[in-house]
Amino acid sequence: MKILALYSIKGGVGKTAAAVNLARLAAGDGAPTLLWDMDPQGSTSYYCRIKPKLKGGGKKLIGGQCASGDLIKGTDHERLDLLPADFSLRHLDLLLDRGKKPVRQLRKVLKPLAAEYQYVFLDCPPNISLLSECVIEITDAILSPIIPTTLSLRTLDQLTGFIADHHQGGLDVLPFFSMVDRRKKLHREILTTLPERCPGLLRTPIPYASDIERMGIERAPVCDYAPRSRSARAYRMLWDEIKERI
Amino acid sequence: MEFIFPASFSIDAFLQRLTRAWPFQEKTETTGRRTCFDSFDWRLYARGYTLGIDSSGRETWLILRQEGGTETRRRLPGPTPPRFAWDLPEGDLRTILSPILELRALLPVVEIQYRRWHLKWLNKDRKTVLRLEVEQNLAVAGDDGPHPLPGRVRILPVKGYRKAEKRIGRFLGNEPELSPAGEREWLTRALAALGRRPLDYSSKFSLRLKPGMRSDLAARSILRHLLATMKTNEPGLRADIDSEFLHDFRVAVRRTRTALSQFKKAFPAPAGERFGVEFAWLGRVTGEARDLDVFLLNFEHYKASLPPAMRNDLAPFHGFLQKHRKQAHERLLHALDSDRYRNLMADWDAFLNQPLPDHPDASHALLPIERLARRRIRRVYRGILRKGRAITPESPAEALHDLRKQCKKLRYLLEFFQSLFPQEQIKGLIRILKRLQDNLGEFQDTEVQQRRLREFSREMIREGDAGADTLLAMGVLIQNLEHRRNQARKAFARCFARFDNRKHRKRFKTLFAKPRPEEEENT
């Protein structure tokens, strides 16, 4: 089982859209896949038409009183399941902090699922917190969307610094461009200059497109309602690239 | 949960009933082809697996299902099926299939055309809570055109929505023409509809004998069974599908020779002698191709035994082996097309099927087979103990080779007669014997391979195939084989002592003891 975390310190960078689309593509390739919506806003759950609610709340899930397998819901897509969000996940930091060994608690949630799923995508909330530290410990790769702007580049530096401080190595950090608008000069410039500075960067940029914004209306991944669109093709190429790198 | 329905089932009426009773709001239809694959000896079926290639539109999937429902799938670049497990891309499927299939090729078992209805049950948020597939099947190949096969209904439950699954399960359970059964059962029925039966071949010898049977009759049943094995393997051997057809064919020839010599007093002497000579010939003419097969099958292993810098030097040797393997196979086909082979098979078949005389001349012909079995096993076993005990560290290699032959004879006898004795005990004895055989096999095989490698290197020089580096690498192989041979020779005393211990001797003795006089009278 490979655990891939969609993580960015900054919000609104296309993290959830990427998580849903990449997980959908993984499942479409034949791999049993789980999406874990860790963000209390529950956007991933909304896209999957599943209520952002966990029986017993985040407390029982993290505390181990409720088996993670019992809380999982199947999505509209074969082989793609979801561990939904819950509003109580806003206190996930506190819950992890309250118990002993927070990393182990998080691992315990996923351990029983190892035989069942080939990929687990974690849609993480945007911040730097105890949860992020734990996620960095348990994942095989961090997929981090970056908008080609100055501020986003700053957060990328912060992220790599943060990972260097909290992880002993062996973790793939795979940033990729997201919400790219080629009409903007700054976007075009950063698109050409950043790859030299950041060797881990994935080559496929995800465009800023209304197709992706429509996910909220369609409540489905782009490749389902606009399979031939530029965005769907970009996610496909990105996923192929990720598979090669992990 | 899966159900099967007969080919005559009216799908339209069923779909109407289904959609009237339940809120299935999306219904799509696909058509495609599915080919089920297995090895010639049904390795997947025997372990509860079904493997199929499903092509619909532009998509082709390789799908492995296990009894009980788990499914592993992989998209294939095209409809060409992988032939061997090692042809599969790395991943789950290869990990599961490699140890099961080993050297066996995948062969199509049944090819069907399907029409599939996909139904989705949506809740008020238009979220899928259940998927259902209804499939109508038609066998593609067949002498008399397409053949309707049983169809299937599969419930594809969505995790976390148990209620819908239970309700639809109950509904389908009440449909009189649906019977709950998985894909393996479906395959069994589909094959039955085409007049085939799964597990109709196994390389293991298995024949049920009755203890009181006349020995000549029992011996014939054994030999007929072996002849059938040869005939079953012949087409695959000719077509060169995988190396195991030739291997199984040769094992059947060897077993036939052992049976002829062990039961010679159950047959008229001249017939036994003639066929003995002919099967020895058949063993010889099939030997060359098998030898080369063994080298090719071991090639990766040989390569890995070399220092990394020398491994690529062996490439010309691989080419040489392939070239000669091809020629050997052609020579083998030539032998199988010869009058000698045709006559042998026809005469042997006729001999095994001629009526049994009421008063045969052969002295053991009328003996109950159980007595002959005990007697033969006892004799060969005693011979092994005698010969094995006489072997000292100074004994020549021939002594061990001779012992290996005896062990093979005992092994075949135990296999021929396993139905006459308690199965578990026979299996235990075969296991004990096998350990000794492995040691003797390693000793002789490494010697034969060294000799062959020397011959190959000389031939390669003659044919201009070998450079100095290749010859050096082959020299290292010979050295490695010599090391293995010495190890095996050193281990022999320990292996034999384990075989010849009191506990095992007692087991052999009790199982194959001569019947006491009063018992003998009763028989």
Side-chain angles (χ1 to χ4, degrees):
Chain A
M1 182 173 80
K2 289 267 182 210
I3 305 175
L4 310 171
L6 267 298
Y7 175 64
S8 164
I9 295 171
K10 203 177 171 307
V13 292
K15 194 167 33 62
T16 300
V20 172
N21 281 294
L22 293 175
R24 164 74 179 88
L25 289 165
D29 281 348
T33 304
L34 177 72
L35 246 175
W36 183 0
D37 189 359
M38 291 180 145
D39 191 340
Q41 292 179 52
S43 312
T44 299
S45 308
Y46 177 80
Y47 285 152
C48 296
R49 296 174 195 269
I50 291 168
K51 277 188 202 121
K53 183 132 189 66
L54 290 172
K55 214 173 169 185
K59 198 171 155 189
K60 286 207 168 163
L61 173 68
I62 297 296
Q65 292 96 325
C66 214
S68 45
D70 295 341
L71 301 171
I72 290 174
K73 296 262 181 187
T75 68
D76 286 349
H77 314 285
E78 273 188 79
R79 296 178 293 281
L80 178 59
D81 293 342
L82 176 84
L83 185 53
D86 190 275
F87 197 53
S88 64
L89 291 180
R90 67 192 189 280
H91 302 310
L92 199 50
D93 270 338
L94 287 176
L95 292 172
L96 287 169
D97 199 28
R98 207 176 290 155
K100 280 181 198 161
K101 300 188 175 153
V103 176
R104 193 195 280 181
Q105 288 183 67
L106 208 55
R107 274 212 181 102
K108 253 169 91 178
V109 175
L110 293 177
K111 205 181 158 197
L113 308 171
E116 199 175 338
Y117 295 102
Q118 199 173 330
Y119 295 107
V120 176
F121 287 82
L122 308 177
D123 183 21
C124 309
N127 51 28
I128 298 190
S129 62
L130 178 62
L131 173 65
S132 340
E133 282 175 35
C134 296
V135 163
I136 286 168
E137 284 292 321
I138 65 162
T139 50
D140 296 288
I142 299 262
L143 307 172
S144 186
I146 35 171
I147 305 175
T149 60
T150 330
L151 272 187
S152 288
L153 296 184
R154 248 192 97 234
T155 47
L156 179 61
D157 289 339
Q158 282 173 339
L159 174 69
T160 42
F162 179 65
I163 288 169
D165 290 346
H166 289 86
H167 201 272
Q168 302 302 324
L171 173 70
D172 285 324
V173 183
L174 307 173
F176 60 93
F177 286 119
S178 174
M179 301 171 83
V180 174
D181 189 344
R182 286 187 186 268
R183 287 168 305 182
K184 294 181 180 165
K185 195 177 165 213
L186 181 65
H187 280 208
R188 289 199 306 272
E189 267 172 25
I190 294 178
L191 229 54
T192 48
T193 53
L194 191 66
E196 288 165 26
R197 204 157 64 83
C198 180
L201 187 78
L202 295 164
R203 290 185 306 273
T204 315
I206 302 299
Y208 178 78
S210 53
D211 286 335
I212 300 176
E213 284 182 325
R214 257 174 59 211
M215 276 177 72
I217 298 159
E218 302 283 347
R219 298 182 79 175
V222 181
C223 56
D224 280 356
Y225 59 82
R228 267 166 248 229
S229 65
R230 201 156 49 99
S231 327
R233 282 206 310 269
Y235 280 123
R236 172 84 254 171
M237 278 163 71
L238 184 68
W239 174 234
D240 288 342
E241 216 183 320
I242 293 168
K243 274 191 292 184
E244 265 175 39
R245 295 281 285 271
I246 53 176
Chain B
M1 210 191 272
E2 292 180 40
F3 297 85
I4 298 181
F5 53 79
S8 56
F9 186 60
S10 161
I11 295 179
D12 288 340
F14 169 68
L15 286 173
Q16 265 179 20
R17 276 199 299 285
L18 196 68
T19 44
R20 217 179 290 137
W22 304 100
F24 285 105
Q25 289 163 29
E26 263 184 49
K27 192 170 106 184
T28 49
E29 201 182 309
T30 51
T31 51
R33 257 172 198 251
R34 187 168 76 242
T35 312
C36 298
F37 288 86
D38 208 330
S39 64
F40 185 66
D41 52 358
W42 302 93
R43 290 177 178 213
L44 299 178
Y45 185 91
R47 285 164 184 80
Y49 286 103
T50 49
L51 179 74
I53 289 189
D54 196 315
S55 310
S56 177
R58 273 190 231 155
E59 297 247 305
T60 302
W61 289 91
L62 184 63
I63 305 171
L64 180 73
R65 291 210 177 97
Q66 199 179 3
E67 190 88 319
T70 46
E71 178 188 288
T72 317
R73 53 164 67 212
R74 192 170 185 122
R75 193 181 279 129
L76 291 181
T80 324
R83 188 143 166 236
F84 292 99
W86 56 79
D87 294 334
L88 287 164
E90 267 186 63
D92 280 7
L93 274 173
R94 186 155 145 188
T95 317
I96 301 169
L97 292 177
S98 294
I100 299 175
L101 291 173
E102 295 175 309
L103 308 171
R104 296 245 64 161
L106 286 168
L107 294 169
V109 173
V110 57
E111 197 181 346
I112 59 155
Q113 240 168 7
Y114 65 78
R115 193 166 161 205
R116 201 181 277 158
W117 290 266
H118 308 258
L119 291 98
K120 272 187 184 177
W121 173 340
L122 308 179
N123 70 7
K124 61 179 188 318
D125 291 331
R126 299 197 58 77
K127 159 86 182 70
T128 313
V129 296
L130 185 102
R131 290 184 201 93
L132 196 83
E133 275 178 12
V134 182
E135 190 182 274
Q136 186 181 37
N137 296 308
L138 206 63
V140 177
D143 302 332
D144 44 357
H147 192 296
L149 293 180
R152 302 194 295 165
V153 182
R154 295 178 66 209
I155 302 179
L156 305 170
V158 177
K159 223 178 227 174
Y161 301 90
R162 287 278 297 152
K163 230 188 266 172
E165 185 192 348
K166 270 191 193 160
R167 287 164 75 188
I168 209 78
R170 267 201 303 272
F171 173 82
L172 296 177
N174 287 331
E175 279 280 316
E177 285 191 84
L178 296 189
S179 49
E183 182 159 291
R184 193 167 174 269
E185 177 61 27
W186 171 83
L187 181 62
T188 315
R189 291 201 203 175
L191 288 168
L194 298 168
R196 284 197 68 188
R197 200 164 46 90
L199 303 174
D200 56 5
Y201 178 77
S202 159
S203 58
K204 288 206 173 78
F205 186 91
S206 136
L207 180 70
R208 192 144 281 283
L209 297 171
K210 289 193 196 96
M213 251 170 139
R214 284 170 59 159
S215 283
D216 53 358
L217 180 65
R220 276 190 189 195
S221 317
I222 292 171
L223 290 163
R224 265 204 299 267
H225 186 82
L226 293 170
L227 177 61
T229 304
M230 286 179 228
K231 284 184 179 165
T232 312
N233 279 291
E234 198 185 310
L237 182 166
R238 282 177 180 273
D240 205 10
I241 291 170
D242 67 38
S243 59
E244 299 313 281
F245 287 96
L246 174 59
H247 179 57
D248 285 5
F249 184 91
R250 278 175 54 76
V251 171
V253 171
R254 270 206 304 273
R255 282 177 171 152
T256 301
R257 293 178 61 201
T258 300
L260 275 170
S261 73
Q262 291 295 312
F263 316 140
K264 64 178 169 225
K265 289 188 185 163
F267 292 121
E273 267 167 41
R274 187 212 146 191
F275 289 118
V277 171
E278 289 306 287
F279 279 110
W281 165 78
L282 190 54
R284 270 196 315 278
V285 294
T286 51
E288 191 196 1
R290 174 63 193 167
D291 259 11
L292 290 156
D293 271 348
V294 171
F295 272 95
L296 281 165
L297 295 171
N298 282 334
F299 194 80
E300 285 307 311
H301 186 73
Y302 286 140
K303 208 168 140 183
S305 76
L306 290 178
M310 295 182 95
R311 285 179 192 162
N312 284 339
D313 299 340
L314 223 48
F317 179 46
H318 194 260
F320 170 87
L321 286 172
Q322 279 180 321
K323 183 173 83 184
H324 282 256
R325 164 72 179 65
K326 206 170 157 235
Q327 291 164 356
H329 188 254
E330 275 159 22
R331 276 195 289 275
L332 170 60
L333 289 186
H334 192 68
L336 295 183
D337 288 332
S338 68
D339 288 342
R340 188 171 180 180
Y341 177 75
R342 250 197 306 274
N343 291 340
L344 167 62
M345 284 292 149
D347 295 352
W348 185 230
D349 198 318
F351 174 75
L352 293 177
N353 287 305
Q354 71 192 8
L356 285 173
D358 289 337
H359 305 289
D361 298 331
S363 58
H364 286 164
L366 294 176
L367 210 61
I369 189 62
E370 193 192 358
R371 275 184 57 192
L372 184 67
R374 285 174 196 266
R375 187 183 294 178
R376 291 315 316 164
I377 292 173
R378 265 197 325 266
R379 285 254 164 101
V380 177
Y381 178 63
R382 270 197 229 122
I384 290 173
L385 293 187
R386 198 176 57 244
K387 286 182 174 162
R389 284 171 187 166
I391 292 173
T392 64
E394 287 75 38
S395 301
E398 286 68 39
L400 281 95
H401 301 341
D402 186 35
L403 183 64
R404 185 189 184 194
K405 273 192 214 153
Q406 296 302 315
C407 287
K408 237 175 211 175
K409 279 184 192 157
L410 180 60
R411 174 80 173 268
Y412 292 158
L413 286 172
L414 291 174
E415 286 167 353
F416 291 157
F417 298 126
Q418 53 191 319
S419 63
L420 300 174
F421 302 97
Q423 207 189 14
E424 275 315 303
Q425 294 193 36
I426 283 279
K427 273 193 183 153
L429 294 179
I430 290 179
R431 255 198 308 275
I432 295 161
L433 177 61
K434 191 175 172 293
R435 271 188 234 134
L436 177 61
Q437 283 186 291
D438 285 345
N439 171 262
L440 292 166
E442 170 85 356
F443 178 69
Q444 191 171 8
D445 293 346
T446 45
E447 184 185 309
V448 172
Q449 285 172 31
Q450 285 183 59
R451 197 179 61 232
R452 294 292 285 142
L453 275 170
R454 278 196 299 273
E455 289 165 9
F456 288 151
S457 56
R458 281 193 288 270
E459 280 175 52
M460 284 173 80
I461 292 176
R462 258 203 313 276
E463 293 170 22
D465 281 346
D469 290 341
T470 306
L471 293 175
L472 270 177
M474 289 169 76
V476 178
L477 287 186
I478 293 177
Q479 196 185 0
N480 292 345
L481 287 165
E482 178 60 14
H483 176 70
R484 274 172 55 194
R485 179 173 174 265
N486 286 336
Q487 299 285 99
R489 183 66 176 89
K490 261 187 227 151
F492 169 75
R494 203 178 58 239
C495 289
F496 187 76
R498 211 188 293 148
F499 175 78
D500 184 20
N501 76 20
R502 214 167 62 179
K503 200 175 86 197
H504 296 158
R505 280 201 306 270
K506 204 174 160 203
R507 286 170 78 178
F508 267 98
K509 207 173 155 186
T510 26
L511 206 53
F512 306 114
K514 213 186 239 182
R516 269 167 285 166
E518 65 267 26
E519 277 180 47
E520 220 166 346
E521 272 166 34
N522 292 339
T523 55

